[in-house]
Structures are given as structure tokens and as C-alpha cells.
Amino acid sequence: MDSAYEIRPDGTRTTNYGEHPQGLLMVDAAGRYNMQIFRVDRPVFAGGDKARGTADEYKQAVTGSSTHFGTVSIDRAKHQLVFEVQAASFPNWEGKRQVRDYSFQNGLLSYAVPASASSSGIVAYSVWRRTSR
């Protein structure tokens, strides 16, 4: 992962996953993908028990990460990635098609998550750096 950021309706830029998120996007030859993004400074659960966290610990764990997997295809003519989401940390995406406008330049894949995907009015961007095979 190179970066992840959001543009709010008023044009301001935010970084829900911090300035230097950790993430991994893997796609195999059949088009199956697995994607994770994590904020690096998420607080640990003070009690050490995932099933007994506080409301704030649960909120930080959920809003500080995004994961999903399924299949992905490329519509090169429209410059769009088409994700068929099988399962996701945001359950509203499960079983849904997610279309993302993308660019690929200098080894960086960048795509936009439209505001309609989260109903928040915020457009999120994910930027991935290709690693060696």
C-alpha cells in the first residue's frame, strides 16, 4: 500500500487510515483478490480480550481497517476495476458489485471509491505500489 486518503464534500483531504497505512492487495491469475488496509496506530484492547472491548476500542478497530475479498476484473475501455465482493469487513458490500475508476502509472495503481459506496459523500482513494513477483 502506498497511501489511502479521503476527499470530503467540501474538498478537504483526510486520512482515516493515517499518513502511512499498511495494506495488501493480492490478485491471482483467475481474478480472485484479497484486500486489507489498516491504520498503524490503532489502539490495542486494554483488557486483551477481543470479545470484551469497550465501545471506543470496537469503533477504532472497525474504522481503522477495511478488508474484503472476491473477484476483480478490468474494463480497460472505461478505466474501471469491477470488484465482485464475496465478503467484507463492511457487511453492506457483501454480494455486491463495486466499480472503481482507476489509473495505473509508474507502478502505482490508484482507484477511487465513490461517495455512493459509503453513503457519506466522501470519495476515498487507495493507491497501491506493485511489488516484484
Side-chain angles (χ1 to χ4, degrees), residues 11 28 42-43 48 94 103 117 123:
D28 70 14
R42 291 173 296 136
E94 292 182 1
S103 68
V123 178

Side-chain angles (χ1 to χ4, degrees), residues 71-82:
T71 60
V72 63
S73 59
I74 300 172
D75 184 331
R76 294 182 195 281
K78 293 181 181 178
H79 274 263
Q80 293 179 328
L81 298 174
V82 181

Side-chain angles (χ1 to χ4, degrees), residues 81-116:
L81 298 174
V82 181
F83 291 94
E84 300 289 347
V85 181
Q86 183 177 344
S89 57
F90 183 51
N92 298 38
W93 286 1
E94 292 182 1
K96 303 285 190 324
R97 173 177 286 185
Q98 296 286 322
V99 178
R100 310 282 188 253
D101 293 333
Y102 80 90
S103 68
F104 184 73
Q105 296 177 344
N106 301 321
L108 291 177
L109 170 67
S110 176
Y111 62 80
V113 179
S116 61

